[in-house]
Amino acid sequence: MSARLLILGMVLGATSCAPRVTTHGKLATPPPSHGDTEVTSPRPQVAPARGRPQLPALVTVELTALRGASEIIWRGADGRPGLAERIGQKVFIDGSPAASPARVSGPVVVDGRTYDGTLVISPLAGGGLEARVRIDLEAYVEGVVASETSIWSATSPELEAQAIAARTYAVATLQQRSSGGAKAQLSDGVMDQAFRGRHVPGSSSRAREAADRLARAVRATEGVILLRGDRLEEARYHAACGGHTSAFSDVFRKEVRERSARGPSGVPCPPCARRAAQESVQGSPNAQRPLGWIEELTPSTLARIGRTFGLPGAPRRIGPARTDSGGRWIDAALESDSGEVKRVPFEDLRRVAGYSVLRSGALVATVPRPADPLLGGGWRAQGRGRGHGVGLCQEGSRDLGKAGWSSSAILAHYYPGATLSRPDAGDRPRVADSASK
């Protein structure tokens, strides 16, 4: 079958903005501009936070790849190796029993990744070991931005916007998880934020320039967070929206229901819409930065999906039960052979099928079509973008930064109604976390 992309035909006009935006705490709506030349982004203007959420000085991050490991090997700053093992219920460091949890001062290199702060190693209840790092919040943010963004080609405004979003997400997540005095920590995987330790640049001048640009972006935004009213913003972000972001309340309904969470509304994303239209004209994804994709769910995968959602077998029909203003599938309708219809959140369907298979809810075509039965075969989905579609679109942010938008303007676009704030320095109470319990 031809891989021609049936991409949405409407082209949203390109929008660019002057980089200097006065916010006075409120994220300003960017003024129009006709230039596409990259400019240096000014330091985001923020309002002091009085009586609002404060930032933790340190955060704890679980190294998920080491969960359950029988031993953990590292190399210290002096180049000497270290070994942690579990013997019985205790942790042994280099053959000697250690306190529980065992602590190793950084920087340390584990599996090729450099971690500053303190490496904390504990016995895992289910067997083996678990490892976490206790690290300065700003060092963590720099590591997240390096892991979540292609810093080689990123502009300063893109890096600054990503740093503010990452910092906000981290602080809000720790605050939620520490409610009632519970232990709070972050994961180094994409279910929280990707974190691969400190960014260690290569020896080339280009690598050093990218690292310097990263460090400057984090310093320029140090302590800056997003607020919605007097609460931390639900600062979700994703790889590519496909042309239009989705409302937080549509995609993260569990958070809205359980803790009355409020987040950004969906907005058009001119860079992604423009690229989607270009791919539609050329009939295939862009070779360097593909937006479109086609994947097929096999009969066995469809049977697993049916069982997961209470059907006796694979769905006979799959179609949209609800879409948002950008056309993204919010709910899917799964119909059984008997005509029973299960309505499920599309993000749940993505989770069961695989996030790398159903890459986003921005579907533009399916085979068979929603009204037609599957007839025992597979189901082919064609879509645009990657991720849940809420909040900052990283691909869009990249293009807006190159077009001259400031970090403030980028954030104002993807988090409408949010404000920038920097909590008062000098009084940064720590969020309760697992390493101090």
Side-chain angles (χ1 to χ4, degrees), residues 266-340:
V267 297
C269 179
C272 279
R274 185 166 56 248
R275 287 172 54 201
Q278 291 169 349
E279 289 189 347
S280 180
V281 170
Q282 71 187 28
S284 62
N286 181 277
Q288 283 73 44
R289 296 172 63 193
L291 197 65
W293 53 268
I294 297 176
E295 293 287 348
E296 183 164 348
L297 275 61
T298 64
S300 61
T301 299
L302 292 169
R304 175 165 51 84
I305 288 172
R307 292 192 300 270
T308 299
F309 295 111
L311 298 181
R316 183 177 66 169
R317 289 186 177 88
I318 301 176
R322 182 166 72 98
T323 59
D324 65 11
S325 59
R328 184 180 299 267
W329 289 29
I330 299 302
D331 291 318
L334 310 180
E335 182 181 339
S336 71
D337 288 333
S338 64
E340 178 188 9

Side-chain angles (χ1 to χ4, degrees), residues 15-32:
T15 304
S16 59
C17 293
R20 296 190 177 275
V21 178
T22 303
T23 66
H24 302 296
K26 181 76 171 179
L27 287 172
T29 300

Side-chain angles (χ1 to χ4, degrees), residues 46-50 52-55 222-225 227 232 421-428:
V46 297
R50 298 181 177 88
R52 290 178 172 177
Q54 300 295 291
L55 306 187
E222 181 177 357
V224 179
I225 54 175
L227 297 177
L232 286 157
S421 181
R422 178 181 286 112
D424 296 331
D427 181 20
R428 294 171 61 183

Side-chain angles (χ1 to χ4, degrees), residues 44 89 95 111 160 163 179 194 199 225 242 247 280 291 320 342 359 364 372 383 387 434:
Q89 299 300 312
D111 291 341
E160 290 173 2
S179 60
H199 174 66
I225 54 175
S280 180
L291 197 65
K342 293 284 188 179
R359 302 178 200 177
V364 295
D372 296 335
S434 57

Side-chain angles (χ1 to χ4, degrees), residues 9-234:
M10 179 180 292
V11 183
L12 295 177
T15 304
S16 59
C17 293
R20 296 190 177 275
V21 178
T22 303
T23 66
H24 302 296
K26 181 76 171 179
L27 287 172
T29 300
S33 169
H34 301 291
D36 287 336
T37 304
E38 179 182 345
V39 297
T40 302
S41 175
R43 187 183 184 94
Q45 301 182 43
V46 297
R50 298 181 177 88
R52 290 178 172 177
Q54 300 295 291
L55 306 187
L58 302 171
V59 297
T60 299
V61 186
E62 180 187 9
L63 308 183
T64 53
L66 300 178
R67 172 173 280 268
S70 59
E71 63 179 27
I72 297 173
I73 301 172
W74 67 88
R75 179 167 49 83
D78 57 2
R80 296 174 59 185
L83 171 66
E85 303 172 282
R86 177 172 178 168
I87 301 177
Q89 299 300 312
K90 293 185 177 181
V91 177
F92 282 66
I93 301 293
D94 295 330
S96 300
S100 184
R103 299 173 186 270
V104 181
S105 297
V108 296
V109 178
V110 182
D111 291 341
R113 298 178 178 180
T114 301
Y115 298 100
D116 295 306
T118 302
L119 177 65
V120 182
I121 304 172
S122 309
L124 185 64
L129 300 168
E130 63 178 345
R132 296 158 288 163
V133 289
R134 275 282 278 168
I135 188 172
D136 181 82
L137 172 63
E138 297 303 317
Y140 168 74
V141 169
E142 184 169 328
V144 168
V145 175
S147 301
E148 290 277 1
T149 309
S150 178
I151 66 171
W152 289 85
S153 54
T155 63
S156 294
E158 176 193 351
L159 295 172
E160 290 173 2
Q162 181 65 66
I164 294 170
R167 183 182 299 108
T168 304
Y169 178 88
V171 175
T173 300
L174 289 172
Q175 184 183 76
Q176 293 155 17
R177 293 175 183 171
S178 64
S179 60
K183 298 178 181 180
Q185 66 181 27
L186 299 164
S187 164
D188 67 349
V190 293
M191 297 311 291
D192 272 341
Q193 302 184 108
F195 174 69
R196 303 187 187 101
R198 185 211 306 165
H199 174 66
V200 180
S203 58
S204 70
S205 59
R206 184 167 177 247
R208 292 195 300 272
E209 288 170 2
D212 289 344
R213 192 163 59 250
L214 167 67
R216 288 196 302 270
V218 176
R219 285 198 302 271
T221 65
E222 181 177 357
V224 179
I225 54 175
L226 284 162
L227 297 177
R228 185 165 297 276
D230 60 354
R231 299 166 65 174
L232 286 157
E233 171 67 305
E234 298 289 343

